[in-house]
Amino acid sequence: MKKVFIAIIIVFVTEIMMGQNPMNDPLANYELEVDTISSVNTQASEMSPFFIDDKLCFSSVREDYMGKNRLYRKNKAFYDIYDVDLDDEGLIKGTRVLLPGFGEEIHEGPASYCKATQELFVSISNVVTPDELRRPIPIDNMLMKLVIMKYNGSEWEITEELPFNDNKHNYSHPAISSDGNTLVFASNMEGHDAQGRMDLYMSVRKGGTWSAPVNLGANINTEGDDVFPVFINDNILTFSSDGRDEKQGGLDIYYTAFPQMEDVFNMGENINSANDDFGLVFYDNEKVGYFSSNREGAESDDLYLVTLDKQYLRFLLVIDAKSKEPIAEAQLYHNNTVYKNSDAKGKVLLEKQLEGDLLVTKEGYINSKLVLEDAPQAMVNGVGFDTVLLYQLEKTYVLENINYDYDKWNISAESELELNKIISIMEENSDMNIELGSHTDCRGSALYNMELSQKRSDSVVKYLVENGISRDRITAKAYGETQLINKCADGVDCTEAEHRVNRRTEFEFVE
């Protein structure tokens, strides 16, 4: 039984709403490589790196205790803050030294520095000395609070305590925005829409006053620990969690676009290990970063160097030509071999070295071919995009731009563009034949218009055959003025534009 499929080819510009990143993934176009750092890591724990100008700072057990087992066991829960110089590339040079104003017998860190306000936001413990940690008071009862410090010319000193600190909960792991007015931190406070053991919260400073903490919500927080937040250029928030299904083990590092926080992305296996990974920061040049991990090979928590390489990204978007909606699970073939399927958003990541043609298929749609050029069709935020429009198998197939000048039958340049689409479809759908019919407006005699429409059909057939379509796959008909599609019949006053609509060629694909 013959099946007739009708489709409408529409020329349009597909607009894709983008956020911070075309795929809503703010780090999608970076490859990350991880290396160990021998110059600052010790047998003890080094954790939570952050930057103060051209220095890398981090928390670590005091070196005085290392190698002295009794002192080390007694003091290993009490960290001080150290710094080390960085070169112009953000790489470590020199040796670590104690940051002036730190080194008291309390726990100090993690911390976060705001260059704009020259404030240092620091977690410190409510336990003054290690001697206070004696039975029956367990070490877990050492609580953390958040303070603000400023440099007084010789050392850092506390200038303010955050108003929501209390003696019942931990307030720790500060991350401060570049303007110093948005603070994200971790806490196990009760209520406040708490999701799990440790949640991430936000407080905003307005008029010098800090707001009550607001839970970042279920998109970010889980039933486990969500901790160690860090701002990257204010528009990315990294943090660590052990409560997500896709974790690779222990604490994994995740990131999200801020302040939207709609999608959360795992940093992947280059960063995350089977153990704890946390505290990822990037240097201002966005070429290097640092994070903490107790992965295999580390003596405790160690610092690791991350090298960022901005990779080439090119995506294919598969779009429904009529609805402009993405098409999921479209099949792609490269060199007659199954290549990839489009995802739920209609996108496919193309490898940089990919060359040649891609055949795109989907059940219920007409096949389409994409010829990969050296450059993508469009660039958005440094990411390349090619778009393939798939046309559903419907009842009528009208090629809208096959119109003619009055009393003419030659193929115009704009018509060639449309006919090339028909040629491409027929090349990729060899089981389809085509029936075409040409039409005129009402002006002139009925006999003349029938002859004119036949010439128009013949000119289309000639173009298709000259471009490789077998003549026996084409049936051409002439309708003259018998199938007008608007009011412009004999005796009706119409504009030239209205008459032009009737001068057209329509197609039906026949399987």
Side-chain angles (χ1 to χ4, degrees), residues 50-156:
F50 65 97
F51 301 105
I52 298 180
D53 299 326
D54 58 353
K55 295 181 183 293
L56 176 69
C57 305
F58 54 93
S59 292
S60 179
V61 175
R62 187 182 301 185
E63 289 180 293
D64 295 350
Y65 303 143
M66 296 176 193
K68 302 173 183 178
N69 290 340
R70 180 176 173 276
L71 279 174
Y72 180 71
R73 287 196 305 270
K74 182 178 179 181
N75 292 278
K76 67 180 181 179
F78 289 79
Y79 287 64
D80 300 320
I81 296 182
Y82 291 82
D83 72 6
V84 61
D85 290 334
L86 300 174
D87 63 20
D88 293 340
E89 295 298 317
L91 300 175
I92 292 173
K93 64 178 183 179
T95 57
R96 68 190 221 170
V97 296
L98 193 65
L99 198 66
F102 293 91
E104 303 294 331
E105 289 187 320
I106 59 174
H107 179 85
E108 298 165 329
S112 179
Y113 178 64
C114 177
K115 185 181 296 186
T117 63
Q118 298 184 326
E119 293 173 312
L120 188 61
F121 293 73
V122 189
S123 311
I124 65 171
S125 64
N126 62 349
V127 175
V128 178
T129 69
D131 289 335
E132 293 184 43
L133 293 178
R134 297 184 183 277
R135 293 182 179 179
I137 302 175
I139 195 170
D140 289 344
N141 282 8
M142 183 178 72
L143 298 177
M144 304 299 297
K145 61 183 179 180
L146 293 172
V147 300
I148 300 175
M149 305 180 76
K150 282 203 165 185
Y151 193 66
N152 64 14
S154 60
E155 65 179 16
W156 292 90

Side-chain angles (χ1 to χ4, degrees), residues 323-479:
S323 69
K324 303 182 185 178
E325 293 294 324
I327 299 175
E329 295 300 320
Q331 296 84 41
L332 275 66
Y333 294 84
H334 182 247
N335 293 334
N336 298 318
T337 302
V338 175
Y339 175 54
K340 291 182 178 180
N341 286 2
S342 60
D343 66 13
K345 296 181 180 179
K347 68 179 186 295
V348 182
L349 176 63
L350 304 179
E351 284 78 10
K352 183 176 182 178
Q353 68 275 15
L354 195 67
E355 297 178 345
D357 300 341
L358 286 174
L359 177 65
V360 185
T361 70
K362 174 72 174 180
E363 185 176 356
Y365 287 85
I366 298 172
N367 297 345
S368 183
K369 181 173 71 175
L370 172 69
V371 179
L372 291 172
E373 304 290 347
D374 291 339
Q377 297 167 356
M379 295 291 295
V380 181
N381 294 344
V383 177
F385 289 92
D386 295 282
T387 301
V388 166
L389 304 179
L390 292 188
Y391 301 92
Q392 290 191 37
L393 298 174
E394 299 179 355
K395 190 180 173 182
T396 291
Y397 203 93
V398 179
L399 207 54
E400 289 193 341
N401 282 344
I402 305 299
N403 298 110
Y404 303 87
D405 293 331
Y406 177 63
D407 202 28
K408 301 292 184 182
W409 56 86
N410 57 295
I411 303 297
S412 66
E414 68 176 6
S415 296
E416 286 185 6
L417 292 175
E418 296 304 299
L419 286 172
N420 289 340
K421 295 178 183 179
I422 292 292
I423 292 169
S424 178
I425 291 171
M426 294 188 73
E427 287 176 342
E428 304 310 325
N429 297 269
S430 58
D431 57 343
M432 284 185 175
N433 298 327
I434 193 171
E435 291 182 359
L436 63 90
S438 294
H439 306 259
T440 68
D441 61 34
C442 68
R443 293 173 293 182
S445 69
L447 177 60
Y448 178 80
N449 284 334
M450 189 64 70
E451 293 173 349
L452 178 59
S453 63
Q454 185 62 58
K455 291 178 180 178
R456 288 174 177 170
S457 288
D458 293 342
S459 67
V460 173
V461 171
K462 182 174 183 289
Y463 184 87
L464 295 177
V465 171
E466 288 177 348
N467 283 275
I469 303 302
S470 173
R471 180 62 181 84
D472 60 12
R473 295 179 64 191
I474 308 169
T475 300
K477 296 182 179 180
Y479 294 95

